[in-house]
Amino acid sequence: MSASASRLRRLASAAVAVTACGGAVLLTPYVSSNDRASGHPTVESLRQIINDPSAVVPSRTLQESALIGSKSGPLDILVVGGGATGCGVALDAATRGLRVGLVEREDFSCGTSSRSTKLIHGGKDKSSYVNVYVYAYTNGVRYLEKAVFGLDYGQLKLVFHALEERKQVIENAPHLCHALPCMTPCFDWFEVVYYWMGLKMYDLVAGRRLLHFSRYYSAQESVELFPTLARKGKGRSLRGTVVYYDGQMNDSRLNVGLACTAALAGAAVLNHAEVVSFLKDEGTQRIIGARIRDNLSGQEFDAYAKVVVNAAGPFCDSVRKMANKDALPMICPSSGVHIVLPDYYSPDGMGLIVPKTKDGRVVFMLPWLGRTIAGTTDSSTSITPLPEPNENEIQFILDAICDYLNIKVRRTDVLSAWSGIRPLAVDPNAKNTESISRDHVVSEEYPGLVTITGGKWTTYRRTSFSMAEDAVNAAIKSGKLSPSNECITSNLRLIGGDGWEPSLFTVLAQQYVRMKKSDGGKVVPGVMDTAAAKHLSHAYGTLAGQVATIAQNENLGKRLAHGYPYLEAEVAYCARNEYCESAVDFIARRSRLAFLDTDAASHALPRIIEILATEHNWDKSRQKEEMQKAKEFLETFKSSKNAHFHDGKHQ
């Protein structure tokens, strides 16, 4: 019997084992042997903890108690910010044996880390997009072009590093990341030769890091693979396409998985908790902690730490000003807008790259979670907790893809549209601050406060350290900390990833049913259909059986929205196991319904709030408040439903 078959058999046999309390299915973990981490005792012990089927993340109450208790014994590091970088820092530090706390004003991945192009190359927007606990988020093809034709060895090193990091991300979260072919249309033979030669050089450089070989498709083959691709564009005929493979991810679930993995590794992570001021040593004026407000209860408490790491992304300047009100700004915010279109705009499993827009930017059109995502823009913006796309940016994207498609591109087809803020940084310690840094910046301007921010598609780093590693290394130096080992996160799979197989959904489909109430109130069994099973497998990995058990045993098997695979059971599971504390937490980050279809999310809200009310003991007032906040949140997603019409035109 093959190793894969053996794992599936163990999963299937475990699927029928139900615990006495709550009926959670215990999927037997498979501890993989990562060849790069083989024999490392710390990695192996952490792997056992993270993949223990009986292990659950500490409750939010326990996490808050751990932060409050830091007065008697200070934390080594307190992280401010729960995006990709902040959670990456927390996991890195915790797995080095340090005592770690993390606070996030809203929710994990609530900012830019959930608003990406969903590609694991980052292209133009590294720091805004989830790179988990690694940091080279690059479009290797464009870097390679600069490296070869510009004779830039630094760019070539960046290509090598980006390919390695992309490979590690996919390996460490295989249920949330996968390879995606991306097609570039060529309308003259020079483009065919130019792109084909560049991609073949890319294949050669990638070597073992390559996902799949690139290739050329004729015009006929291309339209068979991508039926909506136009044969003619701007008076030119399609000569063919070149296709290369990149990585795609579910960004906010990757970020939430990172936070939960950090929690299992020992970090005290707390969302909806805001730093209101810093605590300073009266003698040295060094920062020794922070005053924190629990935004759910309104209570405030002090958390003490030897070093504070500011990983607040676009909001890092406001955190810096708490330490020094005269601190010069180091963030130059940039807006990236994306839109979501129906699935028929692109075939499942093939993306489209528009290489030349009217202002020279690259635009992507990619299949994602059953719909099509298109973007992105790059324009200056102001910093706000809920950035909104404007109509010009949405129309720019629609116009960019219009010339490459043979179907009518309509504003009324936009199911959702959102904006994310990229925190481009200026190093406050640099002598020359005329240019914005495309690299990340790690700075300790004030004793005890290490700030990490920035990063962009032209990022180059001289070492193999990630953003998280750089920040933790700086914190160790600042606080004279004593880690038990070096960084090991590149060898550690996230929760739900170890032992996951693409065929896991078959176990779910065969072993579970979805119990649900009919219109008459009668509880009736329903099949665990393939769409729902695949969704659970990819969203929760090896923990999907626990969600399926809730659906089966607690009569929570109904879908939340017509046409989408999200189940009622997921709301309960996320409230119990993923720190889902609000309706917005669920529709935006635990599921992706708000990003996929704002109208569907709006219709699902009453049931989502009803389930969360049961899980968190909300009264009617709180439920009403949740509904209001969620509707205000959805209004910032400029779908065709939310946009304003006048005489048939959007205003």
Side-chain angles (χ1 to χ4, degrees):
M1 180 181 294
S2 68
S4 297
S6 177
R7 284 175 227 162
L8 286 175
R9 189 176 72 170
R10 289 200 297 272
L11 288 171
S13 62
V16 297
V18 180
T19 62
C21 56
V25 168
L26 304 183
L27 297 182
T28 303
Y30 169 73
V31 180
S32 66
S33 56
N34 189 318
D35 55 356
R36 287 170 297 174
S38 180
H40 196 303
T42 306
V43 173
E44 293 303 326
S45 61
L46 282 169
R47 223 185 245 131
Q48 292 176 16
I49 294 171
I50 293 168
N51 293 282
D52 183 349
S54 62
V56 293
V57 296
S59 69
R60 190 174 183 279
T61 301
L62 286 176
Q63 299 286 53
E64 185 169 307
S65 297
L67 293 174
I68 295 173
S70 64
K71 185 174 184 178
S72 58
L75 301 166
D76 290 313
I77 296 175
L78 174 65
V79 183
V80 181
T85 302
C87 288
V89 170
L91 179 60
D92 187 337
T95 53
R96 296 199 205 191
L98 299 173
R99 293 187 62 210
V100 184
L102 178 148
V103 292
E104 161 58 46
R105 179 174 60 183
E106 296 294 337
D107 183 32
F108 308 121
S109 193
C110 72
T112 318
S113 293
S114 63
R115 297 167 180 258
S116 77
T117 309
K118 324 303 179 191
L119 284 177
I120 313 178
H121 74 216
K124 304 189 297 180
D125 3 85
K126 183 271 131 219
S127 66
S128 57
Y129 301 153
V130 172
N131 200 355
V132 202
Y133 39 89
V134 296
Y135 123 88
Y137 232 35
T138 90
N139 186 327
V141 177
R142 297 168 72 182
Y143 276 117
L144 189 61
E145 181 181 2
K146 290 187 176 185
V148 176
F149 296 104
L151 301 177
D152 190 335
Y153 179 64
Q155 297 286 356
L156 187 60
K157 287 178 65 178
L158 183 56
V159 173
F160 282 124
H161 184 72
L163 290 166
E164 185 64 32
E165 299 290 12
R166 180 182 67 181
K167 183 172 180 283
Q168 288 183 348
V169 172
I170 296 175
E171 287 181 354
N172 290 341
H175 56 304
L176 295 169
C177 307
H178 62 273
L180 177 71
C182 296
M183 175 180 286
T184 299
C186 302
F187 288 91
D188 62 53
W189 290 113
F190 173 78
E191 287 183 344
V192 171
V193 174
Y194 181 80
Y195 288 127
W196 183 84
M197 288 181 63
L199 287 172
K200 283 305 167 187
M201 193 171 294
Y202 182 67
D203 292 348
L204 181 64
V205 169
R208 63 181 178 82
R209 309 170 190 86
L210 191 67
L211 299 178
H212 296 284
F213 284 107
S214 61
R215 64 161 297 174
Y216 162 78
Y217 289 100
S218 68
Q220 181 60 36
E221 290 173 324
S222 299
V223 296
E224 289 174 359
L225 289 169
F226 207 113
T228 55
L229 182 64
R231 282 184 174 268
K232 291 186 179 294
K234 296 183 178 179
R236 301 183 301 168
S237 297
L238 181 69
R239 302 302 182 187
T241 60
V242 291
V243 173
Y244 85 106
Y245 283 76
D246 229 324
Q248 191 178 49
M249 63 182 168
N250 188 334
D251 53 6
S252 72
R253 284 213 56 81
L254 201 54
N255 200 155
V256 169
L258 189 58
C260 291
T261 305
L264 288 176
V269 299
L270 190 68
N271 56 352
H272 300 283
E274 180 177 4
V275 171
V276 294
S277 63
F278 284 124
L279 308 176
K280 298 180 181 179
D281 182 275
E282 292 183 2
T284 65
Q285 289 300 296
R286 180 182 176 87
I287 290 176
I288 57 173
R291 183 72 176 173
I292 297 168
R293 179 192 301 119
D294 183 334
N295 286 332
L296 298 181
S297 67
Q299 296 181 343
E300 294 187 3
F301 61 91
D302 292 335
Y304 291 83
K306 298 173 184 176
V307 184
V308 175
V309 173
N310 172 14
F315 301 95
C316 81
D317 278 345
S318 62
V319 175
R320 291 169 59 241
K321 287 182 182 296
M322 289 184 192
N324 177 12
K325 61 182 177 58
D326 297 322
L328 297 175
M330 63 183 295
I331 292 296
C332 181
S334 173
S335 170
V337 171
H338 297 82
I339 64 175
V340 170
L341 300 162
D343 56 351
Y344 56 74
Y345 271 78
S346 63
D348 186 27
M350 180 65 77
L352 182 72
I353 299 177
V354 177
K356 295 178 181 178
T357 60
K358 59 187 178 182
D359 64 354
R361 282 177 282 169
V362 174
V363 168
F364 297 89
M365 192 175 79
L366 312 165
W368 184 64
L369 301 181
R371 295 296 179 264
T372 299
I373 182 175
T376 178
T377 63
D378 188 6
S379 55
S380 60
T381 187
S382 58
I383 297 176
T384 174
L386 286 178
E388 299 183 25
N390 62 51
E391 283 299 321
N392 289 337
E393 293 171 312
I394 294 172
Q395 197 58 53
F396 169 84
I397 297 171
L398 293 172
D399 291 342
I401 64 176
C402 180
D403 292 336
Y404 292 84
L405 301 179
N406 60 18
I407 60 174
K408 187 176 182 180
V409 177
R410 307 179 303 179
R411 177 61 174 86
T412 52
D413 285 338
V414 176
L415 302 172
S416 184
W418 69 87
S419 174
I421 301 174
R422 307 182 187 101
L424 307 184
V426 175
D427 188 345
N429 296 320
K431 294 180 180 179
N432 181 2
T433 59
E434 292 179 359
S435 61
I436 298 170
S437 172
R438 274 9 183 201
D439 200 347
H440 69 285
V441 173
V442 179
S443 173
E444 186 180 10
E445 307 161 80
Y446 200 95
L449 178 64
V450 173
T451 295
I452 171 80
T453 192
K456 197 165 167 65
W457 70 269
T458 53
T459 292
Y460 162 68
R461 67 182 168 178
R462 303 172 198 166
T463 70
S464 61
F465 296 144
S466 68
M467 286 184 76
E469 286 179 278
D470 280 347
V472 175
N473 288 342
I476 290 171
K477 182 179 179 180
S478 172
K480 297 180 174 59
L481 308 179
S482 301
S484 59
N485 51 267
E486 295 182 350
C487 176
I488 59 174
T489 49
S490 63
N491 303 311
L492 191 68
R493 286 194 172 179
L494 299 188
I495 184 172
D498 212 4
W500 180 85
E501 297 280 357
S503 53
L504 175 61
F505 76 94
T506 61
V507 175
L508 301 175
Q510 291 178 344
Q511 296 292 332
Y512 296 93
V513 295
R514 297 189 290 118
M515 303 298 288
K516 50 192 178 182
K517 289 185 178 181
S518 66
D519 292 337
K522 182 181 179 181
V523 176
V524 295
V527 297
M528 180 65 71
D529 56 276
T530 301
K534 283 186 175 181
H535 158 65
L536 294 180
S537 172
H538 283 283
Y540 303 94
T542 55
L543 302 179
Q546 296 186 24
V547 187
T549 297
I550 295 173
Q552 176 176 277
N553 294 356
E554 300 182 32
N555 306 326
L556 292 174
K558 272 191 174 181
R559 295 195 181 203
L560 290 167
H562 179 70
Y564 293 90
Y566 301 110
L567 305 181
E568 294 173 335
E570 295 179 66
V571 185
Y573 175 85
C574 292
R576 300 171 193 176
N577 300 281
E578 293 187 352
Y579 304 113
C580 180
E581 304 294 335
S582 73
V584 172
D585 288 356
F586 185 81
I587 63 173
R589 272 89 58 178
R590 304 311 182 279
S591 76
R592 309 315 310 277
L593 202 50
F595 286 82
L596 290 169
D597 190 330
T598 57
D599 192 46
S602 181
H603 282 91
L605 274 176
R607 182 57 178 149
I608 291 170
I609 292 172
E610 183 180 2
I611 298 170
L612 286 175
T614 300
E615 295 295 326
H616 294 312
N617 297 315
W618 290 346
D619 57 21
K620 293 295 183 181
S621 176
R622 174 65 186 274
Q623 293 178 53
K624 184 177 179 181
E625 180 184 352
E626 286 291 323
M627 178 64 76
Q628 182 63 30
K629 286 183 177 179
K631 289 194 172 185
E632 290 174 358
F633 175 80
L634 288 175
E635 283 294 322
T636 67
F637 286 66
K638 299 303 181 182
S639 68
S640 58
K641 298 282 185 180
N642 289 342
H644 300 289
F645 284 95
H646 180 70
D647 293 335
K649 296 182 180 180
H650 281 77
Q651 301 298 305

